[in-house]
Amino acid sequence: MSSPSLAQPVGRRDFLKLTGLAGGGFALAFYIRSGGEAAAAETGDFSPNAFVRIARTGAVTIVSKQPEMGQGVKTSLPMIIAEQLEVPWKDIAIEQGDFDEKKYGGQSAGGSQSTPSNYDNFHVLGATVRTMLVEAAAQTWGVPASECRAEKATVIHTSGKSLKYGQLVAKAATLPVPAKDAVTLKQPKDFTLLGTRISQFDTPKIVTGKALFGIDVKLPGMLYAIYEKCPAFGGKVVSANLNEIKALPGVRDAFILEGNGKVKELVPGVAIIADSTWSAFSARKQLKITWDEGTVVNESWESFLKQAKEKSTQPGGKTLRKDGDPDAALASAAKTVEAQYSYPFISHANLEPQNTTAHWHDGIMEIWSPTQIPSIGTGMVNRVLGIAPEKIKLHLNRAGGGFGRRIGADYLIEAAAIAQKVNAPVKLTWSREDDMRHDQYRPGGIHFLKGGVDAKGKVVAWKNHCFTFGEGGSPGSGGSLSGDEFPGRWIANYQADQTMFDTGWPMGPWRAPGSCVFAWVMHSFIDELAHAGGRDPLELRLELLGEKDDMPAGNAGATTKGKQAAASYNVARMRNVLKFAAEKAGWGKKKFAKGSGAGIAFHFSHRGFFAQVAEVTVSKDGQLKVDRFVTGVDIGAQVVNLSGAENQVEGSVIDALGVLMYQELNIERGRTVQSNFNDYPMIRITDAPTKIETHFLKTAFPTTGLGEPALPPVAPAICNAIFAATGKRVRQFPLSRTDLRWT
Amino acid sequence: MKYTLNVNGQSRSVDVASDTPLLWVLRDSLDLVGTKYGCGVGMCGACTIHLNGVPTRACMTPVSTVGKMKVTTIEGLAAASGKLHPVQQAWSDLDVAQCGYCQAGQIMTAAALLKDNPKPNDEDIDGAMAGNLCRCATYMRIRAGIKLAAGLTTAGKGGAQ
Ligand code: FES
Ligand code: FES
C-alpha cells in the first residue's frame, strides 16, 4: 500500500493498517532459513526458503501463501518463481500454505494487493534457488558458475555436460543462501512463462469435483452445525426451546451464544449441533426463539432516503473539499444540470455460503476456513475467545468467491465459539438465507449533484452532497467519498459535502469499495455535462483531465481521512489508457441506429488505470443488451497470467453489469427484505455481453493487481451508452427502476 | 430410512431421513462433495447432477424419490479410464473457472445439453445454461467451453469472444 490509490476507501486502508499490513511488502529475510542451512534434514529435500522445495527425485513443489478465492493467485504467484527457477510449469506442484505469517510474510488477499506486494520478492525467491543450483553444479564440476546456465530444471555447462536439479539437491543444500544482490534476475525479454495463458493449478480438481473448498472439509468424527441469528441486525436471544430441539433426530446438542456485542463479530444466536447438515437444517425449522431486537428496528432504507431528500439542499455534515466559489460559478454558468443519483445496499453473495470447520482439542483451536485475511479471523478468536495466538492453528481453504466478503470473519469466530463447546470437530455451514441476511453489505448512497458548463461546454462548476451510511459513528467500508475523488482537484469551483446516517447495519468492503459506486456517479454526471454543453464525451473527458501529467494529492478542505485516502494521480497514464481504449473501440467512428449507442468512462483504483467503452442496444420495450464491451488496461509492465488476467476483467465487466441490472438489498426495520436468489436475482448467462475485449497497454510501471480495478468504470460506460442509444439517463440502481422504453 | 442408490455406476447404501435432499446424501453420507450447495431452492444450479441422464437439482430431490434411477455426479462424468468428458477437457483447456464453485454444476448442465443437442447455437447454449449461476461471472468462457467441447471451435485462448 505504499502508493495508495486516489479512490482507496478510507475504511479499507485503516483496516489494513490496523492489521499491520499497511506496509504491503515484506523483508526477504523472512523466508530464508536461519543459519544458511538450506536443507530440510528429515526429508533430504533442498528447501532454501519457505516457498520452494526440490526433492532428490527432482520433484519441485511451490507453496502458495495467499488465500485463493478465484482471483488466481495460487497459480500466478508461483508462476513468477517458476519463471526465475527455470522449471517447466508442467513439472511444478503447488501446495496451499497454512496461515503462518512468521514463515511466509503477509498472507492477506484483499485490495488487489497480492500481486504488487509480492511480485518483486517472488522473482528474487525463484532466482535465489536457481543461483544455488547453478553454484552446486559449478562446484561439482570445478568450473566457474559463470560458465553454467539453467534451463528446464537442468544446469548446463558451456562444454555441454549437464546435471538435473534433482541430482544437485544434496550439494545445493550445503551451500549458503546468497544475498539478494548476489542473484541475477532473469529479465522480462527472456520470460517464457509470464504473460502466457496458464490454466489454474486447481483446474483438474475443479472439473472432476474433488474436495477443495472450505465447505468440503470433512474430519473423522466431525459434527455439523447451524447458527441461527436474529433477523434484525445485532438482536439478542431472550429464550429458545433448546430442550425440544435437543430431542430431535440426529441432534447432538443445542445452545445459546451471547455474542460479544459487535454486529460484525460474534453475533448472539442459537447453535444446533447434529450428525449431518440436513439434520441440523431440519432441526432448525423447529426452533422457537424469542428475540430482543433492539432499536435497529427503527431503521429502514426508505426512511433514510426520504430524509436525504429533505436535507439535500442543507449544508452537509462535513465539507470534504471546497475549491473556488461553486455557487457563483453555477450562477454565471451558460448551462446548469441538477441530478440525484442513488444506489442501494447490495450483498456479496459468494456462491459458496460462509462456512468454517473448527476443532478445539489439546488446548488448540484448529480451524479450516475460506478466508481472505486470515489474521483478522485469528485475531478475533484471540480477542473474543481468549485463546493465545500460538494456540490457534488456521488452514486456508479455497474460497468459492471472495469479493471482499471474506475479509469479515464473523463466520469464522462463530465456528470457533461453537467448537469450544463441542467435544469434536464441527463444521458450521451457513444457509443461503443466513448468508444474505447476515452479510457485511456494500453501503448504499445518495448523491445530489449540480454542475455548470460555460458557453464552450467546459465544466466550470461542480457541487455534490453525498449521503452515506455508517455503523458505530463512521462510514461503512467504501461509504466515504474522498474530497479528492475525480473530478475533485480538476475543477476550479468544486464542492463535495457528505452527510452520514448512523445505523446498526453491518457493512464491509465489496469489490473495489467506494470506487464501485463513485465512478458510476461521477462519470454519469460528467456525461450529463458533456451532453448539456454539446461536447463529445471522450473529448470533454480529455479536456477535464488536462495537460498536467501528475495531480498531487489534494489538501484544500479535505478531511484528515480524505487526505490519507488521497494520492498523487498519474494523469498521463490515465490519458493514455483512455485514448488507447477509445482507439481500440473505434470511438466516434461508428454510426449507430436509434436504440443503439456507445458510452465511455474511466477510473483509477487499486493502482490500476482503466478506460472502457460500451456498445449497447436497448429494444423498444426497454430491454438492454450489451453488444460489445472494450476495456483498456494499464496495470504496468507485466501481465503475469494472461488467462487469469482476462478472466478477471471479463468477470468484473459482467459482475458490474449484473449489479447495475439486478442487485438490490432492501433493509426494512433493521433487517433484510431479501433472503435467497429467488428474491435477489443475480446476472445469468443470458444477459452476458455478446463480446468482451480486453486490451493491455504495457507501461514501464510496476505490475499491479486485477481483482477489482476493472469493475468501477463498467456501469457508467454502459449507462452512458444507454443514454446515447435512447436519451434516457439512468440515475438509480438497479436498472428496473428506470423506464428504458422508447419509440 | 435405508436406501440403496445407484451412484456413478455403483450401488451405495445410506441410512438417512426420507426427506433428505440427494445433495446432502451425496455430500455428507457418500463423501461426494463435488456437487455443491448454493441456494437449496433450485435457483443456482450448483447442485446439478444427472438422474437417468437428465440434469436435475439435487437440492430439490428428496432421497426417497430417487429409487432405481441412475445418479451421475461430477465425480462420475469422466470415463472409468480417467479420460475426461469433452466438457471437462474444454473447461481445462480454456481455464473457464475463477473460484470454481459453480463449475461442477455448469459442467453437468453443459454435458446434458451436448448429449441432447451436439451442435448447439448461441441461443441454445444460453437457454440451457440460464439456470446455472456463476457469481464470478465466467459466462464468456462457459459459452466458449461448450463450443469447444462440441467441436464448433478449436482450442484457442481462454475467454474466447
Ligand atoms: S443448491 Fe440446488 S439449485 Fe442452488
Ligand atoms: S467460478 Fe466462481 S461461481 Fe462460477
Side-chain angles (χ1 to χ4, degrees):
Chain A
M1 304 286 288
S2 56
S3 61
S5 63
L6 174 70
Q8 198 81 53
V10 170
R12 169 69 145 272
R13 281 175 42 69
D14 285 352
F15 181 74
L16 290 173
K17 212 176 294 162
L18 267 176
T19 58
L21 298 165
F26 41 82
L28 193 65
F30 249 138
Y31 324 124
I32 304 302
R33 301 218 185 279
S34 54
E37 178 48 73
E42 343 57 271
T43 58
D45 292 350
F46 171 48
S47 180
N49 59 51
F51 298 91
V52 183
R53 213 165 62 227
I54 305 178
R56 285 166 194 262
T57 58
V60 179
T61 305
I62 296 178
V63 176
S64 175
K65 73 184 175 90
Q66 296 294 97
E68 172 66 61
M69 52 189 162
Q71 83 278 42
V73 75
K74 186 174 176 182
T75 305
S76 59
L77 288 178
M79 281 172 71
I80 300 170
I81 293 181
E83 179 78 71
Q84 290 289 346
L85 188 56
E86 299 289 4
V87 174
W89 183 252
K90 63 171 178 46
D91 296 336
I92 284 178
I94 301 172
E95 266 174 27
Q96 177 65 55
D98 288 340
F99 176 58
D100 187 348
E101 292 191 329
K102 284 204 184 85
K103 189 169 172 190
Y104 299 122
Q107 291 181 273
S108 150
S112 297
Q113 296 305 306
S114 289
T115 301
S117 4
N118 294 296
Y119 187 81
D120 290 341
N121 283 324
F122 272 53
H123 277 283
V124 175
L125 283 168
T128 302
V129 182
R130 186 222 324 127
T131 302
M132 294 175 75
L133 290 158
V134 168
E135 181 60 32
Q139 288 190 14
T140 305
W141 293 322
V143 302
S146 59
E147 289 178 7
C148 307
R149 70 195 155 88
E151 198 182 297
K152 297 203 178 99
T154 306
V155 181
I156 305 164
H157 182 243
T158 44
S159 66
K161 61 186 164 190
S162 66
L163 284 167
K164 293 204 182 323
Y165 281 3
Q167 297 171 291
L168 294 164
V169 158
K171 177 92 191 160
T174 65
L175 299 176
V177 178
K180 189 178 168 173
D181 329 335
V183 303
T184 310
L185 293 180
K186 186 177 181 183
Q187 293 302 301
K189 67 174 172 41
D190 300 320
F191 289 169
T192 53
L193 183 61
L194 298 192
T196 63
R197 292 192 170 83
I198 298 294
S199 287
Q200 288 194 66
F201 179 77
D202 282 336
T203 297
K205 285 187 175 169
I206 291 169
V207 302
T208 57
K210 298 282 182 321
L212 194 57
F213 298 90
I215 206 167
D216 300 338
V217 168
K218 187 162 191 182
L219 302 169
M222 186 178 83
L223 298 174
Y224 299 78
I226 64 96
Y227 190 59
E228 172 99 355
K229 295 177 282 274
C230 181
F233 302 126
K236 297 186 180 71
V237 187
V238 177
S239 62
N241 58 336
L242 297 178
N243 287 334
E244 273 169 63
I245 296 297
K246 284 186 215 175
L248 292 170
V251 172
R252 302 291 187 93
D253 200 2
F255 49 83
I256 293 169
L257 293 178
E258 298 294 340
N260 75 333
K262 299 226 163 100
V263 75
K264 290 180 3 179
E265 297 191 353
L266 185 57
V267 174
V270 178
I272 300 175
I273 315 301
D275 56 15
S276 73
T277 310
W278 187 247
S279 303
F281 278 25
S282 299
R284 179 180 193 164
K285 293 178 200 149
Q286 309 300 321
L287 259 177
K288 292 192 193 81
I289 305 175
T290 306
W291 300 105
D292 168 6
E293 296 190 334
T295 55
V296 78
V297 296
N298 301 322
E299 299 170 356
S300 296
W301 163 259
E302 284 299 332
S303 71
F304 284 124
L305 195 63
K306 196 159 151 268
Q307 286 181 52
K309 281 182 189 162
E310 287 161 10
K311 293 181 179 168
S312 65
T313 53
Q314 297 168 16
K318 239 182 215 167
T319 295
L320 304 172
R321 169 179 213 96
K322 187 169 181 187
D323 295 325
D325 189 345
D327 289 319
L330 280 168
S332 63
K335 265 191 186 158
T336 58
V337 180
E338 272 190 49
Q340 176 195 330
Y341 282 82
S342 66
Y343 40 86
F345 279 66
I346 62 170
S347 175
H348 294 82
N350 308 123
L351 200 58
E352 178 195 24
Q354 308 315 321
N355 64 85
T356 291
T357 303
H359 189 196
W360 175 238
H361 63 89
D362 311 308
I364 289 168
M365 182 60 77
E366 189 168 5
I367 301 167
W368 292 257
S369 187
T371 168
Q372 283 185 239
I373 303 190
S375 59
I376 291 180
T378 54
M380 223 180 267
V381 171
N382 166 242
R383 205 158 29 76
V384 179
L385 304 181
I387 299 174
E390 64 277 11
K391 301 287 184 193
I392 305 166
K393 219 173 146 185
L394 174 56
H395 308 278
L396 305 179
N397 299 113
R398 189 179 183 92
F403 310 107
R405 173 61 181 94
R406 300 189 214 256
I407 287 173
D410 44 348
Y411 54 96
L412 187 152
I413 186 69
E414 285 174 8
I418 290 169
Q420 245 188 347
K421 296 191 180 299
V422 176
N423 193 19
V426 56
K427 174 159 73 178
L428 170 69
T429 304
W430 283 23
S431 67
R432 172 57 53 195
E433 290 79 7
D434 289 326
D435 201 274
M436 203 160 279
R437 289 180 180 139
H438 299 282
D439 197 348
Q440 300 180 1
Y441 307 93
R442 184 201 75 185
I446 310 119
H447 297 242
F448 296 87
L449 289 140
K450 284 183 195 156
V453 296
D454 67 13
K456 290 185 176 145
K458 183 176 181 264
V459 181
V460 292
W462 181 294
K463 271 184 91 167
N464 182 10
H465 187 172
C466 161
F467 288 81
T468 188
F469 292 80
E471 43 184 288
S474 45
S477 175
S480 190
L481 187 63
S482 157
D484 279 3
E485 182 73 40
F486 185 85
R489 292 184 278 178
W490 273 265
I491 297 172
N493 300 292
Y494 180 97
Q495 183 170 346
D497 284 12
Q498 182 163 284
T499 300
M500 188 190 79
F501 295 123
D502 207 11
T503 72
W505 306 351
M507 295 169 226
W510 191 100
R511 201 175 202 174
S515 297
C516 65
V517 285
F518 299 141
W520 172 68
V521 174
M522 306 312 155
H523 273 275
S524 295
F525 196 60
I526 289 169
D527 218 65
E528 295 208 43
L529 294 174
H531 286 283
R535 300 283 298 275
D536 173 76
L538 167 63
E539 194 243 309
L540 182 82
R541 280 178 174 76
L542 287 167
E543 179 182 285
L544 248 181
L545 281 169
E547 301 297 320
K548 279 201 282 185
D549 280 351
D550 201 45
M551 182 61 88
N555 43 36
T559 62
T560 318
K561 281 196 165 186
K563 262 190 253 173
Q564 283 169 4
S568 163
Y569 188 116
N570 190 323
V571 188
R573 285 181 81 178
M574 187 51 86
R575 252 190 333 253
N576 290 342
V577 81
L578 177 59
K579 289 180 191 161
F580 173 74
E583 186 200 309
K584 293 289 182 193
W587 178 263
K589 297 212 173 77
K590 266 192 198 170
K591 289 273 167 288
F592 292 96
K594 173 125 206 239
S596 295
I600 194 162
F602 64 78
H603 194 69
F604 163 55
S605 74
H606 303 85
R607 308 192 198 188
F609 295 80
F610 286 74
Q612 295 172 323
V613 175
E615 295 177 8
V616 310
T617 298
V618 180
S619 65
K620 286 193 172 168
D621 64 350
Q623 299 303 307
L624 170 71
K625 181 80 197 157
V626 177
D627 303 314
R628 182 179 177 222
F629 198 92
V630 178
T631 302
V633 180
D634 171 6
I635 49 155
Q638 181 70 54
V639 169
V640 178
N641 180 0
L642 185 54
S643 176
E646 287 173 338
N647 217 349
Q648 286 304 309
V649 176
E650 287 173 9
S652 298
V653 170
I654 303 175
D655 188 6
L657 172 62
V659 171
L660 168 65
M661 292 182 81
Y662 297 113
Q663 291 193 42
E664 178 167 32
L665 194 285
N666 301 111
I667 298 174
E668 274 176 25
R669 296 175 49 246
R671 74 202 76 203
T672 72
V673 173
Q674 292 81 3
S675 63
N676 204 325
F677 297 129
N678 49 354
D679 53 14
Y680 189 84
M682 306 279 293
I683 192 166
R684 293 175 183 273
I685 196 169
T686 36
D687 287 315
T690 314
K691 198 170 175 177
I692 298 182
E693 295 169 33
T694 306
H695 303 281
F696 292 90
L697 177 64
K698 198 176 162 123
T699 58
F701 294 91
T703 294
T704 57
L706 262 176
E708 295 163 281
L711 183 134
V714 174
I718 292 171
C719 291
N720 295 342
I722 291 173
F723 183 82
T726 64
K728 306 254 181 173
R729 181 58 66 182
V730 177
R731 297 198 183 100
Q732 291 180 74
F733 274 37
L735 212 48
S736 55
R737 292 181 170 269
T738 308
D739 181 1
L740 294 183
R741 285 173 302 176
W742 58 274
T743 47
Chain B
M1 291 281 293
K2 287 209 163 71
Y3 297 93
T4 300
L5 304 169
N6 178 341
V7 181
N8 298 330
Q10 289 179 351
S11 174
R12 306 285 303 263
S13 295
V14 294
D15 188 356
V16 294
S18 61
D19 66 345
T20 309
L22 182 55
L23 168 66
W24 296 111
V25 174
L26 294 169
R27 291 185 56 82
D28 289 353
S29 309
L30 299 178
D31 289 343
L32 294 168
V33 293
T35 305
K36 294 295 193 260
Y37 167 63
C39 69
V41 296
M43 294 299 294
C44 76
C47 65
T48 307
I49 49 139
H50 296 172
L51 274 188
N52 283 347
V54 179
T56 305
R57 301 279 182 261
C59 72
M60 307 290 285
T61 307
V63 63
S64 59
T65 65
V66 176
K68 298 209 172 332
M69 283 190 280
K70 284 187 188 148
V71 180
T72 308
T73 70
I74 186 73
E75 291 91 343
L77 190 63
S81 67
K83 185 174 160 33
L84 295 179
H85 183 282
V87 172
Q88 292 171 308
Q89 189 58 52
W91 251 240
S92 307
D93 293 346
L94 293 183
D95 191 27
V96 169
Q98 283 187 31
C99 79
Y101 194 78
C102 72
Q103 300 296 351
Q106 306 280 2
I107 290 169
M108 295 308 283
T109 305
L113 163 69
L114 292 184
K115 207 163 126 231
D116 267 13
N117 181 356
K119 302 286 170 202
N121 64 25
D122 291 356
E123 249 173 68
D124 298 337
I125 292 173
D126 279 11
M129 302 307 293
N132 287 75
L133 278 181
C134 176
R135 171 62 183 93
C136 304
T138 61
Y139 297 126
M140 306 307 277
R141 291 191 182 187
I142 289 170
R143 287 176 181 157
I146 292 172
K147 289 184 185 175
L148 179 61
L152 296 167
T153 52
T154 48
K157 60 176 205 162
Q161 283 136 29

